[in-house]
Amino acid sequence: MQNKGLVKFFAILFALVSIYSLSFTFVANKVKEDAKNFAGGNPVKEVKYLDSIGKEKVFLDFFTYNEVKDKQINKGLDLEGGINVILQISVKDVLKQLSNNSKNPVFNKSLEDAKRDQVGNQSYLDAFFVAFDKNSNGTVKLASPDIFANRNLQGQIDFNMTDDQVKKVLVKKLDESVESAFGVLRSRIDKFGVTQPNIVKLGQTGRILIELPGAKDVDRIKKLVSSKAELEFWETYKAEEMMGFLQQANEALKATVKTDEKVVAAKPADTLTKLLTDDKVKDSAAAKKGNNPLFDKFISQGGGPVLVVASPKDTATINSYLRRPEIRNLLPADKRYAKFAWGKPDVNVDEKTKKETESVGLYALKGNRDNVAPMSGGVIVDARDTFDQMGKPAVSMQMNGAGARVWEELTGRAFTQKSCIAIALDNVVYSAPGVTSGPISGGRSEITGSFEVAETKDLANVLRAGKLPAAAEIIQSEVVGPSLGAIAINAGLISSIVGFLMVCLWMVFYYGRAGWYANAALILNLLFLFGVMASFGFVLTLPGIAGIVLTLGTAVDANIIIYERAKEELRDGKTLGDAVITSYGWKGAMRSIIDANVTHVLTGTILYVFGTGLVQGFALTLLIGIVTSLFTSIFIARIFIDRDIAHNRKLTFSTNITKNWFTGFNFDFIGIKKWTYLFSSVVVVGSLISIFFVNGLDQGVDFVGGRTFQVRFEKPVEPTQVSEELSKAFGTTVEAKVFGSDDQLKLTTKYKIQEEGVEVDKEVNEKLFASLKKYYGANQTYEKFINSYDGKKFGVLQSSKVGAAISADIKTNSFWAVIGAMLVVALYLVISFRKWQYSLGALAAVFHDVVFVLGIYSLLYKYMPFHMEMDQHFIAAILTVIGYSMNDTVIVFDRIREFLAGDRKGHFKDVVNASINTTLSRTLNTSLTMIMVLLIMFIFGGDSIRGFIFAMLVGIIVGTYSSLFIATPVLVDTMSKEAIEDIEKRHGN
């Protein structure tokens, strides 16, 4: 090998750089361990400790902790625990704002049609453009004065512009809105207090990924990131001013709303009863509960700015009543623009039963024709969490000069009229203080109410950060408890170590001293792999660990191909030096190695492009591993081999036991093709029947949308019983399956998956807890059940949600990823081998393998003790199988090409058979190392990736079979008669 000195130099340099990069990870872990010991299990105290030393030098007396933290290998949520969400900025809201809330019927119909007709992998904006073009049919322009040619877009859009020109402006404005939202969310998250938060824009989709490692308070975080933070100040009506309207509304609703006509005992004579009755009718049935559609939903009358009090579960019904046109028409002329809003829920505790109930107050705000508040949160320049005069948590706000003047006017009017000013955030009234001491100058105000300290901190945080440009809905989320993260790390470490040792032992057993050289290259490969991940700040995930373990198998593939070729050359009588030179040459092993690894790179790249989150982590480590393993396998092992040659040491690339394995093998693979075709056809047809007509496939929430919860109980439970109880509580099917041990279930439901919002997520969590709390002791609370914390053993250990919109995208991406991988690799083979028959043979084998794996999953998913769902991880396994199937096929095809270009004698089929037989040791060895590693991962890798590993395990076995018995026979059968005659003429027949 030429330039050995240069190779050694770069190898040492890369090793030193890798060690240096990894040292930051070791230092950061040491500091975090110190923080944990200092905090004694208190996560808040731990974060404060790390924040306090952020600017202190902790490494080499030069790097601060913050700098060290930024340079370490970051662990993903599945290893660290925490929360991640994908937010979808409402493009519909952005378009409404840009149109100045246009009332144009074509525009508004297009907005609704876009939401209904949006297909997988299509953005809402593109769907709107399609819908508008269809609905307008050229009669209405986007640049109409009542749509986008308005004051909001003055100077950017005018009525002379074409629709295509306007579309370009709208795309730009949407990008600006997403960028604005990104900045607002970044500001909120930075103040939240978690270490190493990650926030990323997902291309041009209007989606933002937020990862909060170590975060534990589920409901609080979801509310923090999705709150639009639209602060408004409204004048309010007094309760007595609206009672006449409520009475009229109640009477009017009797004619159209069907109520329970059964007369039940009347309510106690409280303020609400007095409202419902008067002296003439107080004993009539009309006053009884059951005959008053609106009043029956109220708990009690309010007072001051609060009209009435109701239960949160009834607010949606009351809202629907108050929004009815015939009910709105009952409002007096001076109140026709009244805007109804609910307050922040209060928790009430019954002194006798100690039972907690929630209630909310209804407010009537003084609206106007444009439905615009007299003052918005844009005037707020600062917000702080504080305490009010009673010592209760509150939020103080400081306004700018313009806001201070409006605030003085509002408070002056409220003082004169003895009314109140409602402070509303995202249409929820947080407080409605009265003004007792005259107009308030200086622009300082305060929000008070029944707050926890954490709530005021979050509220002040979002007010300082500013409002989002549009509503942000959580379309996908995942919560992983820290205890699961620790289990995943242990499983990953065990599978990695055992897999590494097994590969090393096999290489030494089969190749002797040359195996030790391959192992040395393998160790260096792992060092380089982790060094690259640390240097570029990549995130390590559990599938990423799987990718690393798989790299152990692939890293020795190149060595196997080289060693097997060297053995062939030695058997042909060449010296060790000549055999090594030939085996490392382009016509030796190098062409096969490059072709095989290019197919890996192509499938890995497609997997990274189309995958998200953890799947991308798997693809990334796989791609890095391919590059590092090529370098170490080709160059590092060669250094040791060349040293043996220089010192005249004997090197046979085998041991006494294995030296004659697979030699002299002469099986007629082409001769039995009819039987293999028959067997594979039966398998493929049976698989397709099972997939499409019998069992189908167990599609996970990634593909169909839904919510999943991994719940651990204190004792073993019966899945069927839990499923029935939850299905009854949710009013829809809830699937329950044992996950790992029999005291742990994986629960799946599509309940309200079409509805977005933090309130819906909280409702689902509360229903889940209410239904399952009987399986736990008396000390199990909602917070303990739902939220994550160190040492958590019972309750929800992991949860995820995939909205309907993003599931359609995932499904579409997955389909095109598989099709794209097959076509791209087939195209490469056409270019590399210059005959389409090679590509067709490889495609036939890959199609066979994919259908075989799908069929196995279809037939067995109901019976296997582990989950076999179709999800993103499964697609990652399929793409990996495509890569490895191509790898085995390419090895055989390269030998066929070599023999056909050489002077090998015999008929065409004889040459092909010889090609397969002489590469059998390579094919079986490369497959065996992969199968060995996958088995280790299947046994020790943990429940969460067992189905994923099983798919690859089946795929590798089937891929080895198809490369021998499908790909090559198809190549033979598709060769033209003329081409075969020419080949046989050249080879002496």
Side-chain angles (χ1 to χ4, degrees), residues 6-8 10-11 14 521 524-525 528 625-637:
L6 190 63
V7 171
K8 289 180 181 179
F10 277 113
F14 290 159
L524 199 59
N525 172 56
F528 289 168
I626 290 170
V627 176
T628 57
S629 64
L630 274 176
F631 176 79
T632 55
S633 299
I634 294 172
F635 295 109
I636 302 303

mmCIF file with all atom_site columns, all heavy atoms in Angstrom, residues 6-8 10-11 14 521 524-525 528 625-637:
data_model
loop_
_atom_site.group_PDB
_atom_site.id
_atom_site.type_symbol
_atom_site.label_atom_id
_atom_site.label_alt_id
_atom_site.label_comp_id
_atom_site.label_asym_id
_atom_site.label_entity_id
_atom_site.label_seq_id
_atom_site.pdbx_PDB_ins_code
_atom_site.Cartn_x
_atom_site.Cartn_y
_atom_site.Cartn_z
_atom_site.occupancy
_atom_site.B_iso_or_equiv
_atom_site.pdbx_formal_charge
_atom_site.auth_seq_id
_atom_site.auth_comp_id
_atom_site.auth_asym_id
_atom_site.auth_atom_id
_atom_site.pdbx_PDB_model_num
ATOM 1   N N   . LEU A 1 6   ? 1.169   8.466  5.310  1.00 0.00 ? 6   LEU A N   1
ATOM 2   C CA  . LEU A 1 6   ? 0.065   9.435  5.288  1.00 0.00 ? 6   LEU A CA  1
ATOM 3   C C   . LEU A 1 6   ? -1.193  8.856  5.940  1.00 0.00 ? 6   LEU A C   1
ATOM 4   O O   . LEU A 1 6   ? -1.893  9.546  6.697  1.00 0.00 ? 6   LEU A O   1
ATOM 5   C CB  . LEU A 1 6   ? -0.224  9.843  3.843  1.00 0.00 ? 6   LEU A CB  1
ATOM 6   C CG  . LEU A 1 6   ? -1.193  11.022 3.647  1.00 0.00 ? 6   LEU A CG  1
ATOM 7   C CD1 . LEU A 1 6   ? -0.605  12.294 4.263  1.00 0.00 ? 6   LEU A CD1 1
ATOM 8   C CD2 . LEU A 1 6   ? -1.478  11.233 2.168  1.00 0.00 ? 6   LEU A CD2 1
ATOM 9   N N   . VAL A 1 7   ? -1.459  7.572  5.666  1.00 0.00 ? 7   VAL A N   1
ATOM 10  C CA  . VAL A 1 7   ? -2.626  6.912  6.273  1.00 0.00 ? 7   VAL A CA  1
ATOM 11  C C   . VAL A 1 7   ? -2.471  6.864  7.788  1.00 0.00 ? 7   VAL A C   1
ATOM 12  O O   . VAL A 1 7   ? -3.419  7.152  8.551  1.00 0.00 ? 7   VAL A O   1
ATOM 13  C CB  . VAL A 1 7   ? -2.805  5.489  5.702  1.00 0.00 ? 7   VAL A CB  1
ATOM 14  C CG1 . VAL A 1 7   ? -3.867  4.729  6.499  1.00 0.00 ? 7   VAL A CG1 1
ATOM 15  C CG2 . VAL A 1 7   ? -3.192  5.551  4.230  1.00 0.00 ? 7   VAL A CG2 1
ATOM 16  N N   . LYS A 1 8   ? -1.244  6.485  8.247  1.00 0.00 ? 8   LYS A N   1
ATOM 17  C CA  . LYS A 1 8   ? -1.010  6.443  9.696  1.00 0.00 ? 8   LYS A CA  1
ATOM 18  C C   . LYS A 1 8   ? -1.190  7.818  10.319 1.00 0.00 ? 8   LYS A C   1
ATOM 19  O O   . LYS A 1 8   ? -1.764  7.956  11.404 1.00 0.00 ? 8   LYS A O   1
ATOM 20  C CB  . LYS A 1 8   ? 0.396   5.923  9.976  1.00 0.00 ? 8   LYS A CB  1
ATOM 21  C CG  . LYS A 1 8   ? 0.595   4.454  9.682  1.00 0.00 ? 8   LYS A CG  1
ATOM 22  C CD  . LYS A 1 8   ? 2.034   4.041  9.984  1.00 0.00 ? 8   LYS A CD  1
ATOM 23  C CE  . LYS A 1 8   ? 2.258   2.570  9.677  1.00 0.00 ? 8   LYS A CE  1
ATOM 24  N NZ  . LYS A 1 8   ? 3.662   2.158  9.932  1.00 0.00 ? 8   LYS A NZ  1
ATOM 25  N N   . PHE A 1 10  ? -3.063  10.345 9.266  1.00 0.00 ? 10  PHE A N   1
ATOM 26  C CA  . PHE A 1 10  ? -4.478  10.712 9.362  1.00 0.00 ? 10  PHE A CA  1
ATOM 27  C C   . PHE A 1 10  ? -5.218  9.853  10.390 1.00 0.00 ? 10  PHE A C   1
ATOM 28  O O   . PHE A 1 10  ? -6.117  10.344 11.089 1.00 0.00 ? 10  PHE A O   1
ATOM 29  C CB  . PHE A 1 10  ? -5.146  10.585 7.996  1.00 0.00 ? 10  PHE A CB  1
ATOM 30  C CG  . PHE A 1 10  ? -4.937  11.779 7.117  1.00 0.00 ? 10  PHE A CG  1
ATOM 31  C CD1 . PHE A 1 10  ? -4.173  11.689 5.969  1.00 0.00 ? 10  PHE A CD1 1
ATOM 32  C CD2 . PHE A 1 10  ? -5.481  13.022 7.444  1.00 0.00 ? 10  PHE A CD2 1
ATOM 33  C CE1 . PHE A 1 10  ? -3.959  12.788 5.155  1.00 0.00 ? 10  PHE A CE1 1
ATOM 34  C CE2 . PHE A 1 10  ? -5.274  14.130 6.643  1.00 0.00 ? 10  PHE A CE2 1
ATOM 35  C CZ  . PHE A 1 10  ? -4.519  14.017 5.492  1.00 0.00 ? 10  PHE A CZ  1
ATOM 36  N N   . ALA A 1 11  ? -4.855  8.567  10.489 1.00 0.00 ? 11  ALA A N   1
ATOM 37  C CA  . ALA A 1 11  ? -5.509  7.697  11.471 1.00 0.00 ? 11  ALA A CA  1
ATOM 38  C C   . ALA A 1 11  ? -5.236  8.191  12.890 1.00 0.00 ? 11  ALA A C   1
ATOM 39  O O   . ALA A 1 11  ? -6.151  8.265  13.731 1.00 0.00 ? 11  ALA A O   1
ATOM 40  C CB  . ALA A 1 11  ? -5.027  6.266  11.305 1.00 0.00 ? 11  ALA A CB  1
ATOM 41  N N   . PHE A 1 14  ? -7.134  11.574 13.349 1.00 0.00 ? 14  PHE A N   1
ATOM 42  C CA  . PHE A 1 14  ? -8.574  11.364 13.568 1.00 0.00 ? 14  PHE A CA  1
ATOM 43  C C   . PHE A 1 14  ? -8.838  10.776 14.948 1.00 0.00 ? 14  PHE A C   1
ATOM 44  O O   . PHE A 1 14  ? -9.821  11.128 15.614 1.00 0.00 ? 14  PHE A O   1
ATOM 45  C CB  . PHE A 1 14  ? -9.144  10.427 12.498 1.00 0.00 ? 14  PHE A CB  1
ATOM 46  C CG  . PHE A 1 14  ? -9.206  11.035 11.124 1.00 0.00 ? 14  PHE A CG  1
ATOM 47  C CD1 . PHE A 1 14  ? -9.269  10.228 9.993  1.00 0.00 ? 14  PHE A CD1 1
ATOM 48  C CD2 . PHE A 1 14  ? -9.199  12.418 10.956 1.00 0.00 ? 14  PHE A CD2 1
ATOM 49  C CE1 . PHE A 1 14  ? -9.309  10.784 8.736  1.00 0.00 ? 14  PHE A CE1 1
ATOM 50  C CE2 . PHE A 1 14  ? -9.240  12.983 9.692  1.00 0.00 ? 14  PHE A CE2 1
ATOM 51  C CZ  . PHE A 1 14  ? -9.299  12.167 8.575  1.00 0.00 ? 14  PHE A CZ  1
ATOM 52  N N   . ALA A 1 521 ? -9.316  -2.718 13.556 1.00 0.00 ? 521 ALA A N   1
ATOM 53  C CA  . ALA A 1 521 ? -9.970  -1.722 12.701 1.00 0.00 ? 521 ALA A CA  1
ATOM 54  C C   . ALA A 1 521 ? -11.373 -1.419 13.207 1.00 0.00 ? 521 ALA A C   1
ATOM 55  O O   . ALA A 1 521 ? -11.836 -0.271 13.158 1.00 0.00 ? 521 ALA A O   1
ATOM 56  C CB  . ALA A 1 521 ? -10.023 -2.231 11.260 1.00 0.00 ? 521 ALA A CB  1
ATOM 57  N N   . LEU A 1 524 ? -11.205 0.951  16.217 1.00 0.00 ? 524 LEU A N   1
ATOM 58  C CA  . LEU A 1 524 ? -10.913 2.304  15.742 1.00 0.00 ? 524 LEU A CA  1
ATOM 59  C C   . LEU A 1 524 ? -12.127 2.904  15.034 1.00 0.00 ? 524 LEU A C   1
ATOM 60  O O   . LEU A 1 524 ? -12.399 4.104  15.156 1.00 0.00 ? 524 LEU A O   1
ATOM 61  C CB  . LEU A 1 524 ? -9.712  2.262  14.789 1.00 0.00 ? 524 LEU A CB  1
ATOM 62  C CG  . LEU A 1 524 ? -8.997  3.606  14.553 1.00 0.00 ? 524 LEU A CG  1
ATOM 63  C CD1 . LEU A 1 524 ? -8.480  4.186  15.864 1.00 0.00 ? 524 LEU A CD1 1
ATOM 64  C CD2 . LEU A 1 524 ? -7.850  3.422  13.566 1.00 0.00 ? 524 LEU A CD2 1
ATOM 65  N N   . ASN A 1 525 ? -12.869 2.065  14.345 1.00 0.00 ? 525 ASN A N   1
ATOM 66  C CA  . ASN A 1 525 ? -14.081 2.524  13.667 1.00 0.00 ? 525 ASN A CA  1
ATOM 67  C C   . ASN A 1 525 ? -15.092 3.090  14.663 1.00 0.00 ? 525 ASN A C   1
ATOM 68  O O   . ASN A 1 525 ? -15.703 4.138  14.431 1.00 0.00 ? 525 ASN A O   1
ATOM 69  C CB  . ASN A 1 525 ? -14.699 1.362  12.881 1.00 0.00 ? 525 ASN A CB  1
ATOM 70  C CG  . ASN A 1 525 ? -16.058 1.710  12.311 1.00 0.00 ? 525 ASN A CG  1
ATOM 71  O OD1 . ASN A 1 525 ? -16.214 2.683  11.586 1.00 0.00 ? 525 ASN A OD1 1
ATOM 72  N ND2 . ASN A 1 525 ? -17.057 0.926  12.657 1.00 0.00 ? 525 ASN A ND2 1
ATOM 73  N N   . PHE A 1 528 ? -13.918 6.476  15.851 1.00 0.00 ? 528 PHE A N   1
ATOM 74  C CA  . PHE A 1 528 ? -14.179 7.498  14.835 1.00 0.00 ? 528 PHE A CA  1
ATOM 75  C C   . PHE A 1 528 ? -15.668 7.844  14.782 1.00 0.00 ? 528 PHE A C   1
ATOM 76  O O   . PHE A 1 528 ? -16.045 9.016  14.646 1.00 0.00 ? 528 PHE A O   1
ATOM 77  C CB  . PHE A 1 528 ? -13.725 7.011  13.457 1.00 0.00 ? 528 PHE A CB  1
ATOM 78  C CG  . PHE A 1 528 ? -12.237 6.936  13.298 1.00 0.00 ? 528 PHE A CG  1
ATOM 79  C CD1 . PHE A 1 528 ? -11.665 6.280  12.215 1.00 0.00 ? 528 PHE A CD1 1
ATOM 80  C CD2 . PHE A 1 528 ? -11.382 7.513  14.233 1.00 0.00 ? 528 PHE A CD2 1
ATOM 81  C CE1 . PHE A 1 528 ? -10.294 6.210  12.053 1.00 0.00 ? 528 PHE A CE1 1
ATOM 82  C CE2 . PHE A 1 528 ? -10.001 7.450  14.089 1.00 0.00 ? 528 PHE A CE2 1
ATOM 83  C CZ  . PHE A 1 528 ? -9.462  6.791  12.996 1.00 0.00 ? 528 PHE A CZ  1
ATOM 84  N N   . GLY A 1 625 ? -21.421 5.414  10.050 1.00 0.00 ? 625 GLY A N   1
ATOM 85  C CA  . GLY A 1 625 ? -20.748 4.132  10.219 1.00 0.00 ? 625 GLY A CA  1
ATOM 86  C C   . GLY A 1 625 ? -20.225 3.563  8.915  1.00 0.00 ? 625 GLY A C   1
ATOM 87  O O   . GLY A 1 625 ? -19.158 2.932  8.882  1.00 0.00 ? 625 GLY A O   1
ATOM 88  N N   . ILE A 1 626 ? -20.964 3.764  7.828  1.00 0.00 ? 626 ILE A N   1
ATOM 89  C CA  . ILE A 1 626 ? -20.513 3.271  6.522  1.00 0.00 ? 626 ILE A CA  1
ATOM 90  C C   . ILE A 1 626 ? -19.199 3.932  6.132  1.00 0.00 ? 626 ILE A C   1
ATOM 91  O O   . ILE A 1 626 ? -18.247 3.281  5.691  1.00 0.00 ? 626 ILE A O   1
ATOM 92  C CB  . ILE A 1 626 ? -21.598 3.531  5.453  1.00 0.00 ? 626 ILE A CB  1
ATOM 93  C CG1 . ILE A 1 626 ? -22.816 2.633  5.693  1.00 0.00 ? 626 ILE A CG1 1
ATOM 94  C CG2 . ILE A 1 626 ? -21.038 3.297  4.053  1.00 0.00 ? 626 ILE A CG2 1
ATOM 95  C CD1 . ILE A 1 626 ? -24.015 2.978  4.844  1.00 0.00 ? 626 ILE A CD1 1
ATOM 96  N N   . VAL A 1 627 ? -19.139 5.251  6.319  1.00 0.00 ? 627 VAL A N   1
ATOM 97  C CA  . VAL A 1 627 ? -17.942 6.005  5.928  1.00 0.00 ? 627 VAL A CA  1
ATOM 98  C C   . VAL A 1 627 ? -16.751 5.622  6.797  1.00 0.00 ? 627 VAL A C   1
ATOM 99  O O   . VAL A 1 627 ? -15.649 5.324  6.293  1.00 0.00 ? 627 VAL A O   1
ATOM 100 C CB  . VAL A 1 627 ? -18.199 7.521  6.011  1.00 0.00 ? 627 VAL A CB  1
ATOM 101 C CG1 . VAL A 1 627 ? -16.938 8.305  5.697  1.00 0.00 ? 627 VAL A CG1 1
ATOM 102 C CG2 . VAL A 1 627 ? -19.317 7.925  5.056  1.00 0.00 ? 627 VAL A CG2 1
ATOM 103 N N   . THR A 1 628 ? -16.938 5.607  8.110  1.00 0.00 ? 628 THR A N   1
ATOM 104 C CA  . THR A 1 628 ? -15.817 5.300  9.005  1.00 0.00 ? 628 THR A CA  1
ATOM 105 C C   . THR A 1 628 ? -15.357 3.851  8.853  1.00 0.00 ? 628 THR A C   1
ATOM 106 O O   . THR A 1 628 ? -14.160 3.558  8.919  1.00 0.00 ? 628 THR A O   1
ATOM 107 C CB  . THR A 1 628 ? -16.200 5.573  10.470 1.00 0.00 ? 628 THR A CB  1
ATOM 108 O OG1 . THR A 1 628 ? -17.375 4.809  10.808 1.00 0.00 ? 628 THR A OG1 1
ATOM 109 C CG2 . THR A 1 628 ? -16.483 7.049  10.697 1.00 0.00 ? 628 THR A CG2 1
ATOM 110 N N   . SER A 1 629 ? -16.319 2.942  8.644  1.00 0.00 ? 629 SER A N   1
ATOM 111 C CA  . SER A 1 629 ? -15.938 1.529  8.511  1.00 0.00 ? 629 SER A CA  1
ATOM 112 C C   . SER A 1 629 ? -15.174 1.272  7.220  1.00 0.00 ? 629 SER A C   1
ATOM 113 O O   . SER A 1 629 ? -14.278 0.425  7.180  1.00 0.00 ? 629 SER A O   1
ATOM 114 C CB  . SER A 1 629 ? -17.178 0.624  8.583  1.00 0.00 ? 629 SER A CB  1
ATOM 115 O OG  . SER A 1 629 ? -18.044 0.876  7.502  1.00 0.00 ? 629 SER A OG  1
ATOM 116 N N   . LEU A 1 630 ? -15.514 1.996  6.158  1.00 0.00 ? 630 LEU A N   1
ATOM 117 C CA  . LEU A 1 630 ? -14.760 1.852  4.904  1.00 0.00 ? 630 LEU A CA  1
ATOM 118 C C   . LEU A 1 630 ? -13.297 2.255  5.107  1.00 0.00 ? 630 LEU A C   1
ATOM 119 O O   . LEU A 1 630 ? -12.375 1.563  4.644  1.00 0.00 ? 630 LEU A O   1
ATOM 120 C CB  . LEU A 1 630 ? -15.398 2.711  3.807  1.00 0.00 ? 630 LEU A CB  1
ATOM 121 C CG  . LEU A 1 630 ? -16.541 2.076  3.020  1.00 0.00 ? 630 LEU A CG  1
ATOM 122 C CD1 . LEU A 1 630 ? -17.137 3.072  2.030  1.00 0.00 ? 630 LEU A CD1 1
ATOM 123 C CD2 . LEU A 1 630 ? -16.058 0.841  2.269  1.00 0.00 ? 630 LEU A CD2 1
ATOM 124 N N   . PHE A 1 631 ? -13.105 3.379  5.786  1.00 0.00 ? 631 PHE A N   1
ATOM 125 C CA  . PHE A 1 631 ? -11.738 3.853  6.019  1.00 0.00 ? 631 PHE A CA  1
ATOM 126 C C   . PHE A 1 631 ? -10.940 2.850  6.842  1.00 0.00 ? 631 PHE A C   1
ATOM 127 O O   . PHE A 1 631 ? -9.814  2.468  6.479  1.00 0.00 ? 631 PHE A O   1
ATOM 128 C CB  . PHE A 1 631 ? -11.766 5.209  6.713  1.00 0.00 ? 631 PHE A CB  1
ATOM 129 C CG  . PHE A 1 631 ? -10.401 5.728  7.088  1.00 0.00 ? 631 PHE A CG  1
ATOM 130 C CD1 . PHE A 1 631 ? -9.580  6.319  6.137  1.00 0.00 ? 631 PHE A CD1 1
ATOM 131 C CD2 . PHE A 1 631 ? -9.931  5.608  8.392  1.00 0.00 ? 631 PHE A CD2 1
ATOM 132 C CE1 . PHE A 1 631 ? -8.314  6.781  6.476  1.00 0.00 ? 631 PHE A CE1 1
ATOM 133 C CE2 . PHE A 1 631 ? -8.673  6.068  8.743  1.00 0.00 ? 631 PHE A CE2 1
ATOM 134 C CZ  . PHE A 1 631 ? -7.863  6.662  7.775  1.00 0.00 ? 631 PHE A CZ  1
ATOM 135 N N   . THR A 1 632 ? -11.514 2.404  7.956  1.00 0.00 ? 632 THR A N   1
ATOM 136 C CA  . THR A 1 632 ? -10.760 1.510  8.848  1.00 0.00 ? 632 THR A CA  1
ATOM 137 C C   . THR A 1 632 ? -10.568 0.131  8.233  1.00 0.00 ? 632 THR A C   1
ATOM 138 O O   . THR A 1 632 ? -9.494  -0.476 8.364  1.00 0.00 ? 632 THR A O   1
ATOM 139 C CB  . THR A 1 632 ? -11.480 1.381  10.201 1.00 0.00 ? 632 THR A CB  1
ATOM 140 O OG1 . THR A 1 632 ? -12.838 0.951  9.986  1.00 0.00 ? 632 THR A OG1 1
ATOM 141 C CG2 . THR A 1 632 ? -11.492 2.706  10.943 1.00 0.00 ? 632 THR A CG2 1
ATOM 142 N N   . SER A 1 633 ? -11.600 -0.382 7.541  1.00 0.00 ? 633 SER A N   1
ATOM 143 C CA  . SER A 1 633 ? -11.488 -1.722 6.960  1.00 0.00 ? 633 SER A CA  1
ATOM 144 C C   . SER A 1 633 ? -10.465 -1.766 5.846  1.00 0.00 ? 633 SER A C   1
ATOM 145 O O   . SER A 1 633 ? -9.693  -2.737 5.727  1.00 0.00 ? 633 SER A O   1
ATOM 146 C CB  . SER A 1 633 ? -12.852 -2.183 6.421  1.00 0.00 ? 633 SER A CB  1
ATOM 147 O OG  . SER A 1 633 ? -13.802 -2.236 7.450  1.00 0.00 ? 633 SER A OG  1
ATOM 148 N N   . ILE A 1 634 ? -10.456 -0.749 5.020  1.00 0.00 ? 634 ILE A N   1
ATOM 149 C CA  . ILE A 1 634 ? -9.580  -0.763 3.849  1.00 0.00 ? 634 ILE A CA  1
ATOM 150 C C   . ILE A 1 634 ? -8.147  -0.375 4.207  1.00 0.00 ? 634 ILE A C   1
ATOM 151 O O   . ILE A 1 634 ? -7.182  -0.985 3.728  1.00 0.00 ? 634 ILE A O   1
ATOM 152 C CB  . ILE A 1 634 ? -10.136 0.178  2.757  1.00 0.00 ? 634 ILE A CB  1
ATOM 153 C CG1 . ILE A 1 634 ? -11.476 -0.373 2.241  1.00 0.00 ? 634 ILE A CG1 1
ATOM 154 C CG2 . ILE A 1 634 ? -9.144  0.340  1.605  1.00 0.00 ? 634 ILE A CG2 1
ATOM 155 C CD1 . ILE A 1 634 ? -12.205 0.571  1.301  1.00 0.00 ? 634 ILE A CD1 1
ATOM 156 N N   . PHE A 1 635 ? -7.990  0.629  5.069  1.00 0.00 ? 635 PHE A N   1
ATOM 157 C CA  . PHE A 1 635 ? -6.647  1.170  5.307  1.00 0.00 ? 635 PHE A CA  1
ATOM 158 C C   . PHE A 1 635 ? -5.991  0.668  6.598  1.00 0.00 ? 635 PHE A C   1
ATOM 159 O O   . PHE A 1 635 ? -4.799  0.365  6.607  1.00 0.00 ? 635 PHE A O   1
ATOM 160 C CB  . PHE A 1 635 ? -6.706  2.701  5.324  1.00 0.00 ? 635 PHE A CB  1
ATOM 161 C CG  . PHE A 1 635 ? -7.095  3.286  3.989  1.00 0.00 ? 635 PHE A CG  1
ATOM 162 C CD1 . PHE A 1 635 ? -8.335  3.865  3.808  1.00 0.00 ? 635 PHE A CD1 1
ATOM 163 C CD2 . PHE A 1 635 ? -6.221  3.252  2.917  1.00 0.00 ? 635 PHE A CD2 1
ATOM 164 C CE1 . PHE A 1 635 ? -8.713  4.397  2.583  1.00 0.00 ? 635 PHE A CE1 1
ATOM 165 C CE2 . PHE A 1 635 ? -6.571  3.779  1.683  1.00 0.00 ? 635 PHE A CE2 1
ATOM 166 C CZ  . PHE A 1 635 ? -7.830  4.353  1.513  1.00 0.00 ? 635 PHE A CZ  1
ATOM 167 N N   . ILE A 1 636 ? -6.770  0.607  7.689  1.00 0.00 ? 636 ILE A N   1
ATOM 168 C CA  . ILE A 1 636 ? -6.142  0.262  8.975  1.00 0.00 ? 636 ILE A CA  1
ATOM 169 C C   . ILE A 1 636 ? -5.728  -1.206 9.006  1.00 0.00 ? 636 ILE A C   1
ATOM 170 O O   . ILE A 1 636 ? -4.579  -1.534 9.370  1.00 0.00 ? 636 ILE A O   1
ATOM 171 C CB  . ILE A 1 636 ? -7.093  0.590  10.140 1.00 0.00 ? 636 ILE A CB  1
ATOM 172 C CG1 . ILE A 1 636 ? -7.471  2.074  10.119 1.00 0.00 ? 636 ILE A CG1 1
ATOM 173 C CG2 . ILE A 1 636 ? -6.437  0.208  11.468 1.00 0.00 ? 636 ILE A CG2 1
ATOM 174 C CD1 . ILE A 1 636 ? -6.291  3.022  10.164 1.00 0.00 ? 636 ILE A CD1 1
ATOM 175 N N   . ALA A 1 637 ? -6.646  -2.099 8.625  1.00 0.00 ? 637 ALA A N   1
ATOM 176 C CA  . ALA A 1 637 ? -6.285  -3.520 8.630  1.00 0.00 ? 637 ALA A CA  1
ATOM 177 C C   . ALA A 1 637 ? -5.128  -3.792 7.662  1.00 0.00 ? 637 ALA A C   1
ATOM 178 O O   . ALA A 1 637 ? -4.280  -4.660 7.908  1.00 0.00 ? 637 ALA A O   1
ATOM 179 C CB  . ALA A 1 637 ? -7.509  -4.360 8.253  1.00 0.00 ? 637 ALA A CB  1
#
